[in-house]
């Protein structure tokens, strides 16, 4: 059974001016689509063919670079599209707000720490907010298409992520990654993040 590129719940231009339509079109239609097709080719006829993407990544052999890069790329972008939206931004509400405030003291502190993780990731990678089994939240970052559920990850469940590969922002922001990170906070769908948080 092959993995499918998930449907976007909004139009390519829905996140403008924070994320431009051309970047969305290429990022989703070329990059994410490419990871999806490569992943399907790699697992075809193997023991991974009928596993969920979570099962594949949790039991991943890190030496398997093709599966690591494309399986990670598939999973990471699925979450990324999901946690953004045209009516996003502002401050979190509900349970996730309470947890952020108790773990990081305030939303502003959380935003500063998350932004630092995203801005200091050298080269290509991701910043993450993860929920651990004991309820603790943790910010981490990963290189390339690695993620927290891989054997080298923090072990938490990802509930929020930010792609800091240049392909995610270069058309609009060029080398200004900090401006892109700031703009990302205008499109976070906190209602969806809260839903994911409660389902973990
Ligand atoms: Mn990307």
């Amino acid at each position: 059974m092959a993995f499918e590129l998930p449907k976007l719940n909004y139009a390519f231009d829905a996140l403008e001016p924070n994320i431009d339509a051309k970047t969305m079109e290429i990022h989703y239609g070329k990059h994410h689509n490419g990871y999806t097709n490569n992943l399907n080719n790699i697992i075809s006829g193997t023991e991974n063919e009928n596993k969920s993407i979570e099962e594949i990544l949790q039991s991943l052999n890190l030496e398997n670079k093709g599966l690591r890069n494309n399986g990670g790329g598939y999973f990471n972008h699925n979450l990324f599209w999901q946690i953004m939206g045209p009516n996003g931004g502002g401050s979190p509400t509900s349970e996730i707000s309470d947890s952020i405030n108790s773990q990081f003291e305030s939303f502003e502190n959380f935003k500063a720490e998350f932004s630092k993780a995203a801005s200091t990731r050298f080269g290509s990678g991701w910043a993450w907010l993860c929920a651990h089994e004991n309820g603790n939240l943790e910010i981490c970052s990963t290189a390339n298409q690695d993620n927290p559920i891989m054997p080298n990850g923090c072990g938490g469940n990802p509930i929020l992520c930010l792609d800091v590969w240049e392909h995610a922002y270069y058309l609009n922001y060029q080398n200004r990654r900090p401006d892109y990170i700031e703009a990302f906070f205008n499109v976070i769908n906190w209602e969806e993040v809260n839903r994911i948080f409660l389902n973990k």
Side-chain angles (χ1 to χ4, degrees):
M1 198 183 69
F3 290 106
E4 288 181 8
L5 187 65
K7 288 258 181 315
L8 265 191
N9 289 323
Y10 41 84
F12 290 142
D13 65 1
L15 305 182
E16 288 203 351
N18 299 288
I19 299 180
D20 64 284
K22 192 70 182 171
T23 295
M24 283 298 302
E25 183 182 350
I26 296 171
H27 199 176
Y28 171 81
K30 303 291 186 194
H31 291 272
H32 197 190
N33 193 46
Y35 295 125
T36 306
N37 291 336
N38 290 341
L39 170 63
N40 285 329
N41 289 334
I42 289 167
I43 63 171
S44 176
T46 75
E47 59 179 3
N48 287 316
E49 197 168 33
N50 294 308
K51 291 183 186 169
S52 70
I53 188 62
E54 288 83 1
E55 288 172 325
I56 290 174
L57 298 179
Q58 283 162 352
S59 64
L60 178 71
N61 174 357
L62 294 170
E63 297 301 316
N64 189 340
K65 295 289 167 54
L67 187 58
R68 179 178 177 176
N69 292 334
N70 291 288
Y74 177 72
F75 175 93
N76 298 351
H77 291 88
N78 285 357
L79 180 64
F80 188 46
W81 310 136
Q82 193 183 348
I83 55 85
M84 296 191 290
N87 300 311
S91 301
T93 54
S94 311
E95 290 85 352
I96 187 61
S97 174
D98 296 339
S99 289
I100 285 175
N101 287 334
S102 82
Q103 191 86 46
F104 302 100
E105 292 183 8
S106 68
F107 175 62
E108 287 310 311
N109 274 352
F110 160 76
K111 183 178 174 183
E113 277 192 45
F114 185 90
S115 298
K116 187 179 174 195
S119 63
T120 58
R121 163 53 57 189
F122 184 76
S124 299
W126 294 75
W128 303 89
L129 176 64
C130 297
H132 285 273
E133 296 292 342
N134 62 7
N136 284 349
L137 297 177
E138 180 179 4
I139 292 168
C140 68
S141 87
T142 57
N144 301 314
Q145 296 296 357
D146 286 359
N147 65 43
I149 69 172
M150 289 182 181
N152 59 339
C154 81
N157 290 306
I159 62 172
L160 175 73
C161 63
L162 174 58
D163 189 342
V164 294
W165 283 57
E166 284 188 346
H167 69 227
Y169 63 85
Y170 209 84
L171 285 181
N172 197 27
Y173 294 96
Q174 292 82 46
N175 62 328
R176 291 174 284 118
R177 189 192 287 186
D179 291 353
Y180 161 69
I181 295 168
E182 183 68 31
F184 168 69
F185 276 87
N186 295 330
V187 294
I188 297 175
N189 180 346
W190 284 111
E191 207 172 299
E192 186 65 17
V193 175
N194 190 57
R195 202 188 60 74
I196 297 167
F197 175 60
L198 295 178
N199 283 340
K200 292 295 182 189

